[in-house]
Amino acid sequence: MSAESVLAGLDPEQRAVAEAVQGPVCVLAGAGTGKTRAITHRIAYATLTGVVTPQRVLAVTFTTRAAGELRGRLRALGAPGVQARTFHAAALRQLTYFWPRVIGGEPPKIIDSKIGLVADAARACRLSFGRTELRDVAGEIEWAKVTQHRPEDYAAALARAGRRPPADVVDVARVYAMYEQLRRERNLLDFEGMLELTAAVLTEHREVANQVREQYRYFVVDEFQDVNPLQKMLLDTWLGDRDDLCVVGDPNQTIYSFTGASPSHLLDFTREHPDATVVRLVRDYRSTPQVVRLANGVIGAARGGTRHKLELVAQRPDGPDPVFNEYDDEVAEADDAARRARKLVDEGVPAREIAILFRINAQSQTYEAALAAAGVPYVLRGAERFFERPEVREAVVRLRGAARAGADAETDGTGLILTVRHVLSGAGFSDQPPEGAGAARARWESLAALAQLAEDMAAEDPKAGLAEFVAELEERAAAQHAPPLEGVTLASLHAAKGLEWDAVFLVGLAEGTLPIVYAETPEQVEEERRLLYVGVTRARVHLTLSWALSRSPGGARRRRPSRFLDGLTGKTATHTPAPLDRAKRRAAKGPQPCRVCGRPLTAAVERKLGRCEDCPSEINEELLLALREWRAGVAADQKIPAYVVFTDATLQAIAEHAPESMEELARIPGVGKVKLDRYGETVLSLCGA
């Protein structure tokens, strides 16, 4: 790529970011304004113009998934050598490298979770904590460490912060002190200690600091509003007396202050760097004007204010107005959300492009049951990691072995798809999903996600082979970048940050839940408002906001809508839908209903058709015959089984729907991106489109 081509396609503000190749630079980027695009193009432009070599750049993010996305985009822009890591990953890499030289001896073991050690510390203090209390105390110790408070000054720090402890403050301080004692005795290091120790090594050993600063001369930090004092200390240590730093963030999306994060580092950046270039990104490319208008209304009512107001300017065409719904109880609210999700899926919105977002994880169960009863598959965000599932680990091992054995088929893209499917068949994958729900279906869906990923990779690069596919899987596993699973996403508002969907349901928007009941100070209430803002800005097109007047059916209707909705709801639509048969609710994914008679569909063929096999249909028999003849010819030419082109059920579904556009064809189950690109135009011509 040329330097000028990197700038092509950027809007004026994004281009200003890209051309500001020398720091300090502060990018205030609103939701959906293309901040990742801006900073990756800035890095690529700087490397292509010779300002810095890729190996001297360190881009810091907050999640391994975001770091993986950065690396992928930078490779595509011609800057493959850039290091994109989380604070913890960068610190661990440096600490591991320098440990033998400056410390010596057995390096400490890094602990992934504090809970086990906190439990040991509590027992040593003769305290009995339940699982929830242990988790909360572990979070409290983490807050104390990132804000640089020791056990002896924990109580005073708590009082200054106006923070409520999860247990008696004296008990928490005792457990914190014992936790630190046990950690040292057992030669363990937690993530906070790792950051602190890395900063100490650089501070106390000038030769180490010089080497690190020689290696990394150019810094970019994303989500800077979420930086905590410990991370800021490490960043300052990396920088030394230099200022080649670009920070990116949105003060309106500060939702992690309970963990020690502070937007002050972002808001005070120009005070620390008076000569900084400041660029504001406000053009929202994600959401419709209707969603953007509501988002601006939510954050525009913020009290106390932030120094930098970012009012989004919509760039997309008009869409539907946000919907506000009030219900008698939470069960009715969940049932209607499930019905609306079902309707969106029937209208062609993929289930993976729909999300139901709530304030606390405990709200999830009601929506799981409602979606199951409505026959809508769902995915719990924050549940078991995709690449840690047994079937996925087995599949990756099989694929890795096949790659070493040279199992690639020598064809154009189709070879990769066929090879991956053949290898996955050894792990139990088949062209049709198993009937019903449960573990077998969940296993099949995991393997189907890998098969779909192979199709997507073949579409992007027809020359890609199995070795490249395995490398992609290993990089995704390292970054915990799972392929999308087909199902409505259920997630908390905190877990949804950084994601987006075509349709979003924001549920449980009642006083006591949002803002949460324990948000007492003005600062805590404003953070709850920002949570709602984050939720609203996750939606691209469809947005529904709802609340219930009571928790259970028949309960006293004492709740009221969230104060954050005051003046925003317009005309409230009150729904009292006919109650579902509660006995039909199940905790697992329920079957899809027939679009003709409504009976649950259990057979794989029926699910693909969207109806019972014996229900009436308006199939075009001539079209079905023409599709079968065409498929036979393609299969013969490519020397592949006919079902690899399209299954019988998919052909029958095409003949029933007779799609008239690529969009309509893409909505039919079994027509993925690769098949759409490869066969779409021919199929549409057979349909008379």
Side-chain angles (χ1 to χ4, degrees):
M1 271 195 168
S2 67
E4 231 8 79
S5 67
V6 167
L7 299 178
L10 299 179
D11 69 30
E13 293 80 21
Q14 292 171 345
R15 183 172 180 127
V17 173
E19 291 180 325
V21 291
Q22 293 182 314
V25 176
C26 178
V27 182
L28 297 168
T33 57
K35 68 179 178 66
T36 304
R37 177 179 174 84
I39 60 175
T40 51
H41 283 246
R42 176 183 184 269
I43 293 170
Y45 187 68
T47 61
L48 291 170
T49 54
V51 172
V52 65
T53 60
Q55 293 74 19
R56 297 289 185 268
V57 180
L58 178 59
V60 186
T61 69
F62 276 79
T63 66
T64 52
R65 184 181 186 277
E69 182 182 352
L70 274 180
R71 287 193 294 269
R73 292 201 190 193
L74 288 167
R75 277 199 305 270
L77 290 171
V82 171
Q83 297 297 305
R85 303 182 184 279
T86 64
F87 274 103
H88 295 108
L92 179 59
R93 185 180 178 89
Q94 293 171 19
L95 196 60
T96 302
Y97 181 80
F98 291 111
W99 186 275
R101 184 193 310 178
V102 300
I103 300 177
E106 185 69 20
K109 179 183 177 182
I110 307 297
I111 54 175
D112 293 327
S113 171
K114 294 182 176 66
I115 292 179
L117 194 56
V118 170
D120 291 347
R123 281 192 293 269
C125 294
R126 299 185 182 278
L127 295 170
S128 178
F129 288 150
R131 179 75 180 179
T132 300
E133 289 175 305
L134 287 173
R135 186 187 65 235
D136 291 345
V137 171
E140 196 68 5
I141 292 173
E142 181 173 322
W143 171 82
K145 298 191 75 169
V146 301
T147 53
Q148 297 287 277
H149 296 299
R150 306 305 177 196
E152 57 271 19
D153 65 352
Y154 165 72
L158 201 71
R160 287 194 300 272
R163 189 179 178 91
R164 177 182 294 179
D168 181 83
V169 63
V170 175
D171 288 342
V172 175
R174 289 172 57 212
V175 172
Y176 180 14
M178 182 56 67
Y179 168 90
E180 289 290 82
Q181 179 181 325
L182 294 177
R183 184 185 60 76
R184 288 189 294 267
E185 289 174 354
R186 299 176 186 180
N187 196 29
L188 301 175
L189 197 62
D190 55 26
F191 286 132
E192 295 75 42
M194 181 170 62
L195 299 186
E196 193 173 31
L197 187 54
T198 303
V201 167
L202 269 67
T203 300
E204 297 171 9
H205 298 272
R206 182 173 295 276
E207 72 281 6
V208 172
N210 289 340
Q211 187 169 342
V212 170
R213 290 167 187 166
E214 175 62 28
Q215 172 65 47
Y216 298 120
R217 310 172 72 87
Y218 202 81
F219 293 85
V220 177
V221 184
D222 195 9
E223 303 289 2
F224 201 62
Q225 78 279 353
D226 291 332
V227 165
N228 62 48
L230 184 53
Q231 292 165 333
K232 179 62 163 57
M233 180 180 73
L234 178 60
L235 177 62
D236 290 343
T237 308
W238 283 337
L239 279 166
D241 58 359
R242 300 168 299 169
D243 63 0
D244 227 338
L245 170 66
C246 173
V247 300
V248 188
D250 180 2
N252 292 336
Q253 295 189 66
T254 303
I255 59 173
Y256 291 108
S257 64
F258 64 93
T259 67
S262 171
S264 63
H265 304 304
L266 176 64
L267 296 175
D268 292 340
F269 189 81
T270 53
R271 183 178 301 173
E272 187 176 355
H273 303 279
D275 58 338
T277 299
V278 178
V279 183
R280 291 172 175 80
L281 302 182
V282 296
R283 300 176 196 243
D284 188 321
Y285 298 97
R286 175 187 299 162
S287 305
T288 62
Q290 288 75 11
V291 173
V292 169
R293 190 178 305 120
L294 180 60
N296 286 335
V298 169
I299 206 65
R303 298 175 182 174
T306 55
R307 190 173 311 153
H308 300 283
K309 292 287 187 182
L310 289 173
E311 184 168 331
L312 300 175
V313 180
Q315 304 296 305
R316 291 188 58 165
D318 279 342
D321 286 328
V323 175
F324 297 87
N325 286 333
E326 180 179 281
Y327 300 90
D328 285 342
D329 55 73
E330 289 182 1
V331 174
E333 183 181 13
D335 287 346
D336 201 38
R339 270 189 285 266
R340 288 170 178 269
R342 172 83 267 168
K343 184 173 184 292
L344 286 169
V345 171
D346 291 343
E347 291 172 352
V349 178
R352 65 178 176 274
E353 287 295 347
I354 303 172
I356 297 176
L357 308 180
F358 32 77
R359 174 61 179 86
I360 55 176
N361 288 320
Q363 294 170 269
S364 172
Q365 187 174 359
T366 305
Y367 290 88
E368 293 176 52
L371 289 168
V376 180
Y378 61 86
V379 177
L380 281 171
R381 183 162 182 84
E384 181 187 24
R385 291 183 174 183
F386 178 81
F387 287 100
E388 293 174 3
R389 297 179 181 180
E391 64 270 19
V392 175
R393 290 202 302 266
E394 177 190 350
V396 172
V397 169
R398 288 175 177 269
L399 290 164
R400 191 182 294 125
R404 285 198 297 265
D408 279 309
E410 295 180 359
T411 55
D412 58 340
T414 305
L416 174 61
I417 298 170
L418 291 176
T419 303
V420 169
R421 284 179 167 265
H422 175 71
V423 175
L424 293 179
S425 67
F429 179 66
S430 60
D431 189 55
Q432 297 292 338
E435 296 185 0
R441 178 59 184 250
R443 178 183 176 88
W444 183 89
E445 287 178 347
S446 296
L447 299 177
L450 295 177
Q452 183 61 51
L453 189 61
E455 289 199 18
D456 293 343
M457 188 171 187
E460 293 177 5
D461 181 8
K463 295 181 181 179
L466 192 57
E468 289 80 8
F469 181 66
V470 169
E472 173 73 10
L473 287 181
E474 290 175 343
E475 182 170 327
R476 282 174 170 264
Q480 288 301 328
H481 184 189
L485 297 173
E486 193 57 48
V488 171
T489 299
L490 290 173
S492 70
L493 288 165
H494 283 101
K497 187 169 179 292
L499 304 175
E500 58 187 80
W501 295 270
D502 283 346
V504 170
F505 293 82
L506 300 178
V507 299
L509 303 182
E511 284 291 306
T513 304
L514 192 77
I516 199 74
V517 66
Y518 50 76
E520 298 174 344
T521 68
E523 293 79 11
Q524 291 168 340
V525 170
E526 287 308 306
E527 181 143 334
E528 295 288 300
R529 188 193 305 275
R530 293 193 293 270
L531 261 181
L532 177 59
Y533 175 79
V534 166
V536 169
T537 54
R538 300 310 95 195
R540 299 192 190 103
V541 181
H542 305 279
L543 178 62
T544 300
L545 304 92
S546 63
W547 59 92
L549 299 178
S550 68
R551 179 176 181 181
S552 304
R557 301 168 64 188
R558 297 194 180 108
R559 292 178 175 175
R560 63 184 183 88
S562 169
R563 71 191 75 171
F564 303 144
L565 301 179
D566 290 350
L568 300 176
T569 58
K571 184 179 179 181
T572 298
T574 302
H575 291 265
T576 309
L580 290 178
D581 181 355
R582 306 300 173 202
K584 292 182 179 179
R585 283 181 164 236
R586 298 183 294 113
K589 298 176 185 177
Q592 172 186 348
C594 171
R595 56 184 163 86
V596 180
C597 70
R599 183 182 69 82
L601 303 177
T602 55
V605 171
E606 290 181 338
R607 287 196 299 273
K608 184 161 284 192
L609 292 174
R611 62 170 178 81
C612 306
E613 286 192 279
D614 54 355
C615 275
S617 67
E618 299 178 358
I619 191 167
N620 185 329
E621 296 291 346
E622 292 183 1
L623 174 57
L624 180 60
L625 180 61
L627 288 167
R628 284 175 173 166
E629 291 178 350
W630 163 78
R631 181 183 66 173
V634 172
D637 290 342
Q638 297 183 2
K639 297 182 174 57
I640 57 176
Y643 72 82
V644 172
V645 182
F646 284 121
T647 65
D648 288 343
T650 299
L651 286 190
Q652 193 169 343
I654 293 172
E656 286 189 20
H657 290 85
E660 298 179 354
S661 66
M662 285 289 195
E663 290 75 18
E664 292 181 13
L665 180 58
R667 294 172 189 161
I668 295 176
V671 183
K673 185 179 186 305
V674 171
K675 292 181 181 180
L676 193 69
D677 292 343
R678 192 179 298 275
Y679 308 127
E681 291 184 0
T682 304
V683 169
L684 288 177
S685 67
L686 290 171
C687 293

